[in-house]
Amino acid sequence: TVTALEFDPVTGSRYGMILRTNSITCNLEITSELAQIDNILGGVTVIGPTTLGRMSGLAIRNNGQFFAVEASSGQFVSLNPLTGAATLIGATGFADVSSLEFDPTFSFILGGLGANEDPAIPGRPGDLVRIDPAGATSTVIGPSSFNDLGGLAFRPARFGNNTTETA
């Protein structure tokens, strides 16, 4: 499964996370690999494993720096775009950050909370959260009108604004 699609503003390339499951354990073990996606033909080239579980969000800064979040633990990481290897930045404090997007105006990461959010942890399914890329400190911005905020995107300024759209 390919998930967490993102566009690299530096190279013009598209990237995504490939989720792989272990057929013997019936999907109990999920691993993620960073992949590049051909803009014309849609072909997928695996770059390498993140060495973490289900990566549910991917964001790329305007300087080409890659970030991702592990879905079940909320661990926020930077990714090496040449190898896929993850380096832990910190915990977001949320159990199910299901999407990420870099905010080019304010230089922070926006995250969307998924439907599986743990009720014992602050934030509700569908909430929009702000994540500081330097240390993963996260705060709830507020609710969306969705029960699972599984996709975020910014409209490039050349199309009239930089507003956040959710899906």
Side-chain angles (χ1 to χ4, degrees):
T1 303
V2 177
T3 185
L5 299 173
E6 190 59 71
F7 176 79
D8 182 347
V10 175
T11 65
S13 298
R14 296 191 193 286
Y15 292 86
M17 300 303 298
I18 296 178
L19 303 182
R20 300 210 189 266
T21 58
N22 184 326
S23 61
I24 296 171
T25 60
C26 300
N27 298 337
L28 295 177
E29 295 177 27
I30 298 175
T31 59
S32 298
E33 297 173 316
L34 181 64
Q36 186 172 9
I37 301 161
D38 184 287
N39 287 331
I40 306 297
L41 302 174
V44 176
T45 302
V46 173
I47 294 171
T50 64
T51 66
L52 295 174
R54 182 172 66 93
M55 304 303 278
S56 58
L58 178 64
I60 304 173
R61 284 181 114 164
N62 289 341
N63 65 2
Q65 188 176 11
F66 286 50
F67 297 96
V69 65
E70 201 279 327
S72 62
S73 68
Q75 296 295 315
F76 185 69
V77 301
S78 63
L79 293 177
N80 181 320
L82 301 177
T83 66
T87 300
L88 179 64
I89 294 173
T92 63
F94 299 103
D96 188 8
V97 179
S98 60
S99 58
L100 292 178
E101 184 66 23
F102 174 69
D103 181 332
T105 304
F106 298 105
S107 296
F108 59 78
I109 306 288
L110 291 175
L113 299 187
N116 297 321
E117 184 64 33
D118 183 341
I121 295 175
R124 296 178 308 272
D127 276 356
L128 186 65
V129 298
R130 175 183 170 164
I131 303 168
D132 178 358
T137 303
S138 305
T139 55
V140 173
I141 294 172
S144 70
S145 57
F146 302 99
N147 290 329
D148 184 346
L149 200 49
L152 294 171
F154 276 93
R155 181 176 300 160
R158 69 176 184 257
F159 294 117
N161 64 27
N162 269 345
T163 59
T164 303
E165 296 179 359
T166 58

